[in-house]
Amino acid sequence: MRGRPQLSRTVGLPIATAVMLCVLWQIIVTANGIPEYILPAPFDVGRTLLASLPNLLAHASISGTEAVAAFLLATLLGFVAAAVLTYSPLLRDIFYPAIVGFQLIPKVALAPLFIVWLGTESASRITFATFLSFFPVLISTLTGLQNADPTAVRLCRSLTASDWQTLVSVRIPFSLPYFLSATKVAATLAVTGIVVAEFITANAGLGFLILSSGPRMETLTIFAAIFMLCIVGLSLYGTVALLERAGRRWFTGA
Amino acid sequence: MVTKGSSLQVFSRPLGARRVVAPVIFALAFFIVWEVWLRFLPMSRAVIAPPSAIYTTIVNAFPILMKHTLSTLVEIMIGFMSASAVGIALGAAITLSTSIRQAFYPNIVGFQLIPKVAVAPLFVVWLGVGSPSRLAFSVFMAFFPIAVATATGLANTKGDAVRLCRSLTATNWQTFTSVRLPFAIPFVFAGLKVGLTMAMIGIIVGEFITGQEGLGYVIMFASSAGESAPLYAALLILATMGLGLYSCLLLVEVAVQRWYGAPFSSEGFA
């Protein structure tokens, strides 16, 4: 059991460290007179953040919406694909090398392909981010569906349950923890996918804002946009993590 | 967050003939349909090129492609090796004391959750459009998972083994080199595998946005020039490179584990 003083240490110490690093950053920048376009001080970043909030929010809502769409598509498609592959050994054998291969190559390199196919609009960015976050969901869910308690699966078979009934009442509940932990990975990858796609399509969103501010030496805007993106990423991750915890609790029946 | 062993274990059934033949037949059929389809129903060259055109591009543009391949490969290897050194050192440093670990570990884990790729343009602002900014960005991308995995591995050493060392009056350093480090090896390699992919992503995204050299540059150039054959050729080379580097890392892992011997795999110490 974690006592109260222990808790204040595990929560307080990392926060104190982060705050101290920010203070150190501010002091270094102010003391050495580092120009703003090289490294802006945290205080100035905060001021820019407030001053250009409407613009930042407009870009953030584009990136955020696209990331959520990609995340939802990826988890849905990943789950369905895993269920299909569980029941078709032939398809599993056919796609096994492709799935392993895609895990090992840098999938980000494929981003321009999506732009060639789908243009520079939202559709290509969402499709690319979906593609990126689809694989962890597929592999993790597949692991879960296959690792379902063999005794329960045999019981179903001896009770003459159909494949569909076994899937719904045994395999899916058993695979939920695997699926849920993969959704957290998918949430991070969805945001990464959207940002990379925004770099390349150079059209809208926080990724576009960050990239286009670079050559103009508007480092303050870059930092403000990165901060905004962290908020988008962490809130998506946080929501998914909370849902995961609720799902886990429901699964274990506690 | 870091799990030992591969999540691909689903597939570790005995290797039957069908498991080799089915994907090969499917791949062949896929390429034949792709080629024949484009013969009869031509589509824009900017969107898709037949496999034969991709092959011709690789043969004809071989010297140019190799120049860019070499640039990408060298940068990935330098980036990955630097990230491994930095990541393992940092992971070891933060496990030296409980206070340091409590102060830094949650922050490092938190950093894992934000989209680090977004920081790439900053490196261009700081270091220019040349190789140094790509290398620095790649190290930045890759060292986090390595540090977290190393710290996790070092912290999860079997308590029995550490207590045994203490009762044998081993120094902290001796305990570290003879118990903690070998126990952490499977974790470190799990982190290195993630780090390798991250190092590749760092270099390629760097090439996308600096637009100077490398396969990432070829991909971007070809896609904006409306010629898809070089795009597919570069992707094919990049995929081969990814698989090759990953295989090399697996070989190193096997060699290191053999060097330390069976008792030091993390389950081995009863």
Side-chain angles (χ1 to χ4, degrees), chain B residues 14 23 29 36 39 55 64 78 122-123 133 139 142 146 167-168 184-185 191 219 232 246 265 269:
Chain B
V36 173
R39 283 280 157 81
Y55 175 75
I64 301 173
I78 297 176
L122 266 185
F123 285 88
S133 76
V139 172
I146 301 174
S167 59
L168 293 172
I185 281 173
I219 291 170
Y232 290 99
Y246 191 85
S265 73
F269 195 92

Side-chain angles (χ1 to χ4, degrees), chain A residues 6 9-10 13-15 17-18 21 37-39 85 89-90 92-97 99-101 103-113 116-117 139-140 142-143 146-147 188 191-192 195-196 199-200 207 210-211 213-215 217 219 222-223 226 229-230 233-234 237, chain B residues 1 7-13 15 18-19 22-24 26-27 46-48 98-100 102-104 106-107 110 112-122 125-126 137 141 197 200-201 204-205 208-209 216 219-220 222-224 228 231-232 235 238-240 242-243 246:
Chain A
Q6 189 64 36
R9 206 177 144 81
T10 50
L13 206 54
I15 293 176
T17 312
L21 287 176
Y37 62 88
I38 299 285
L39 184 67
L85 290 191
L90 180 65
R92 199 159 66 225
D93 286 345
I94 286 176
F95 288 111
Y96 162 68
I99 295 170
V100 176
Q103 276 304 94
L104 307 182
I105 64 170
K107 288 189 283 294
V108 157
L110 298 173
L113 208 54
V116 166
W117 288 337
I139 288 169
S140 201
L142 200 53
T143 313
Q146 305 228 322
N147 288 0
T188 322
V191 180
T192 304
V195 172
V196 172
F199 279 172
I200 301 179
I210 294 169
L211 191 65
S213 303
M217 286 297 188
T219 316
I222 298 185
F223 270 91
I226 289 174
L229 198 62
C230 291
L234 286 179
Y237 183 87
Chain B
M1 195 160 248
S7 52
L8 295 169
Q9 273 162 355
V10 195
F11 298 108
S12 55
R13 291 177 291 128
L15 198 70
R18 201 181 72 175
R19 297 197 55 210
V24 170
F26 175 76
V47 175
I48 194 160
T98 319
S99 300
I100 297 180
Q102 283 178 336
F104 285 100
N107 287 315
Q112 292 274 78
L113 308 179
I114 65 173
K116 288 192 289 295
V117 116
V119 183
L122 266 185
V125 169
W126 289 333
F137 177 60
M141 289 285 286
T197 315
M200 287 193 266
I201 291 176
I204 293 162
V205 171
F208 279 172
I209 65 174
I219 291 170
M220 283 302 278
S223 73
S224 56
S228 65
L231 169 65
Y232 290 99
L235 286 176
L238 210 49
T240 314
L243 294 178
Y246 191 85

Side-chain angles (χ1 to χ4, degrees), chain A residues 66-231:
Chain A
E66 289 180 352
V68 170
F71 167 75
L72 292 177
L73 273 171
T75 45
L76 183 72
L77 291 176
F79 194 89
V80 171
V84 170
L85 290 191
T86 304
Y87 279 99
S88 170
L90 180 65
L91 285 180
R92 199 159 66 225
D93 286 345
I94 286 176
F95 288 111
Y96 162 68
I99 295 170
V100 176
F102 269 122
Q103 276 304 94
L104 307 182
I105 64 170
K107 288 189 283 294
V108 157
L110 298 173
L113 208 54
F114 287 80
I115 286 128
V116 166
W117 288 337
L118 298 167
T120 55
E121 291 305 314
S122 206
S124 73
R125 294 195 289 266
I126 294 178
T127 312
F128 172 65
T130 306
F131 166 75
L132 213 56
S133 35
F134 162 81
F135 285 94
V137 180
L138 168 67
I139 288 169
S140 201
T141 313
L142 200 53
T143 313
L145 289 173
Q146 305 228 322
N147 288 0
D149 190 350
T151 334
V153 174
R154 271 199 298 273
L155 177 65
C156 286
R157 207 164 294 154
S158 59
L159 292 172
T160 67
S162 67
D163 275 355
W164 177 252
Q165 284 170 322
T166 315
L167 179 71
V168 170
S169 55
V170 174
R171 286 194 194 270
I172 286 181
F174 265 107
S175 73
L176 266 188
Y178 293 84
F179 168 73
L180 290 172
S181 67
T183 56
K184 289 197 288 189
V185 180
T188 322
L189 283 178
V191 180
T192 304
I194 292 295
V195 172
V196 172
E198 283 171 352
F199 279 172
I200 301 179
T201 57
N203 192 320
L206 288 171
F208 161 69
L209 187 63
I210 294 169
L211 191 65
S212 63
S213 303
R216 282 185 267 145
M217 286 297 188
E218 288 169 2
T219 316
L220 261 176
T221 314
I222 298 185
F223 270 91
I226 289 174
F227 186 79
M228 213 58 200
L229 198 62
C230 291
I231 293 180

Side-chain angles (χ1 to χ4, degrees), chain B residues 69-95:
Chain B
T69 305
L70 199 66
S71 156
T72 303
L73 183 63
V74 169
E75 286 184 10
I76 288 175
M77 285 177 40
I78 297 176
F80 173 64
M81 284 174 186
S82 321
S84 309
V86 174
I88 292 175
L90 189 77
I94 65 169
T95 40

